Amino acid sequence: PVDRLQCNPNLSNGIARISGCRISEFNHDPRALADAVIATHRRFGGDGAKVFTDLFTVAEAMGAKIKFPDDDTADLLEPAIDDVSRIDELEPIDPEKACRIPTHLKAMEMVVDEISSEVPCTALVVGPFTTAFFLIGVEKMTRLMVRDPQSVDRLCQVSLESTLRYVDAAASRGMGISIAEPLSSCTVVSPKHFRRYAAPVVGKLLNHIKDKGMGTSMHICGKTDGIWEDLADMGLNALSIDNVVPLPGCVSKVGDRMKIMGKVDPSSVMFAGTREEVRKACLSDIRDAYRSPKGFALMSGCGLPVETPIRNIDAMMDATRELGWPITEEKLEKALAIDRYDD
């Protein structure tokens, strides 16, 4: 029976703090990664268990160089190639052998084996448009979209093939698929460029997942209002939006075509706010979206900072438990009128 609204705080690499390991252990120890995912689910009881470490696993497997801090999230050090003349050197990955991906796949097997009967388990796959940026560098890719469309298409296609192979490998382990496409954001590229370059490969990825009989969700950072209808037209099942996006506008425009997820501010509220500020922000977002026709799930607007206070994550989960189910306007107004925490 339904007891509350769906909620997933989206801890990202903060899961290391829950299991007590270093983030760097995720890069070579599948047991450490799986244990952190499992411990996070059992500590907070959210509505999804996600295997993910950073945006660069596929790009690294295709030749990009990555910086690995001892206890922080990996970052891009150098793209895979430095010039379009080298695009033909790029080859689609073999996910069973490619750099850190086998570690992730083994962790997925452990997660599915241990908690898939309790909660949906997903692999968060970086989308093909975003990975294409990491193959040649963000600045160069941005210039190429104006000066050399054919090279952008070639980068996107080889990136897509690697992404599809990763999806197949994750799905074969019993994982659902969710997608991160941060560089499809209208904050980064115009809706025109999204339609010209990103939409063809993102659409093929969505169709590939659908052909497996699966639905999928997608998170895009920053502003996305210029492409909401494009994503709905592609058949996306659920869209996770950033805190900079107007939630009522998203619900009004495409809430009848896909589930909306979001959008509590991960930094100023979840990381730096008090428990009461977290609670009120959650209640406000629920009020704005709980009647969305295709459903609403409460989430942070992006992955939480690693050191987000555990009590604030508890406050997010507790906000949905406080309202229970079904949600009514009366319950919401009563909850918003009082303070629950004194901190």
Side-chain angles (χ1 to χ4, degrees), residues 322-336:
E322 177 184 353
L323 290 175
W325 191 266
I327 297 171
T328 66
E329 203 70 29
E330 181 181 6
K331 283 184 183 178
L332 274 165
E333 293 308 319
K334 183 177 179 180
L336 283 162

Side-chain angles (χ1 to χ4, degrees), residues 212-321:
K212 294 181 174 294
M214 303 161 65
T216 191
S217 63
M218 184 182 298
H219 176 75
I220 303 178
C221 302
K223 291 188 175 295
T224 49
D225 46 318
I227 58 172
W228 286 339
E229 291 185 291
D230 299 90
L231 296 168
D233 289 344
M234 291 180 198
L236 182 65
N237 300 94
L239 175 64
S240 166
I241 59 174
D242 197 303
N243 54 283
V244 302
V245 172
L247 183 53
C250 189
V251 169
S252 175
K253 197 163 188 178
V254 291
D256 61 339
R257 301 177 66 190
M258 55 186 172
K259 177 185 283 188
I260 308 302
M261 305 187 297
K263 70 170 188 48
V264 181
D265 189 319
S267 298
S268 64
V269 175
M270 292 300 299
F271 174 71
T274 65
R275 285 184 296 171
E276 190 58 36
E277 287 169 339
V278 170
R279 174 178 173 270
K280 289 290 174 61
C282 291
L283 293 173
S284 178
D285 280 353
I286 292 169
R287 179 182 58 189
D288 286 342
Y290 79 96
R291 288 180 288 194
S292 189
K294 287 291 185 179
F296 172 67
L298 182 68
M299 291 179 64
S300 54
C302 197
L304 295 179
V306 169
E307 306 298 343
T308 297
I310 288 176
R311 67 179 189 169
N312 284 0
I313 301 169
D314 283 333
M316 170 178 269
M317 295 299 308
D318 286 344
T320 63
R321 297 181 180 116

Side-chain angles (χ1 to χ4, degrees), residues 51-211:
V51 176
F52 174 74
T53 56
D54 57 86
L55 295 170
F56 309 108
T57 49
V58 172
E60 179 193 14
M62 297 180 70
K65 292 183 173 60
I66 311 301
K67 177 172 62 177
F68 297 109
D70 180 58
D71 196 20
D72 206 346
T73 303
D75 202 357
L76 183 68
L77 190 61
E78 292 181 17
I81 59 174
D82 56 9
D83 189 80
V84 294
S85 64
R86 298 181 60 198
I87 292 176
D88 288 342
E89 297 175 21
L90 298 170
E91 295 184 359
I93 65 168
D94 177 352
E96 306 297 337
K97 301 177 181 178
C99 296
R100 292 178 292 147
I101 292 177
T103 298
H104 285 66
L105 295 176
K106 184 62 178 178
M108 292 175 198
E109 294 172 5
M110 295 173 178
V111 168
V112 166
D113 182 60
E114 296 180 42
I115 61 171
S116 62
S117 63
E118 304 172 27
V119 67
C121 301
T122 61
L124 181 56
V125 176
V126 179
F129 186 61
T130 290
T131 292
F133 276 79
F134 304 146
L135 297 179
I136 197 164
V138 174
E139 291 185 11
K140 286 183 180 179
M141 182 72 162
T142 303
R143 291 196 297 269
L144 288 173
M145 284 189 285
V146 176
R147 300 175 182 175
D148 190 354
Q150 290 185 338
S151 291
V152 175
D153 289 337
R154 291 166 64 201
L155 286 163
C156 288
Q157 286 301 320
V158 70
S159 174
L160 173 64
E161 181 57 37
S162 289
T163 307
L164 297 179
R165 294 183 184 191
Y166 190 21
V167 165
D168 290 346
S172 74
R173 269 76 177 178
M175 300 292 282
I177 305 297
S178 58
I179 302 165
E181 256 294 352
L183 293 178
S184 283
S185 170
C186 300
T187 307
V188 179
V189 299
S190 69
K192 177 182 176 181
H193 280 162
F194 173 84
R195 294 177 189 119
R196 169 61 181 85
Y197 298 111
V201 289
V202 171
K204 288 178 181 177
L205 173 59
L206 293 180
N207 287 334
H208 185 80
I209 295 169
K210 285 181 191 175
D211 287 345

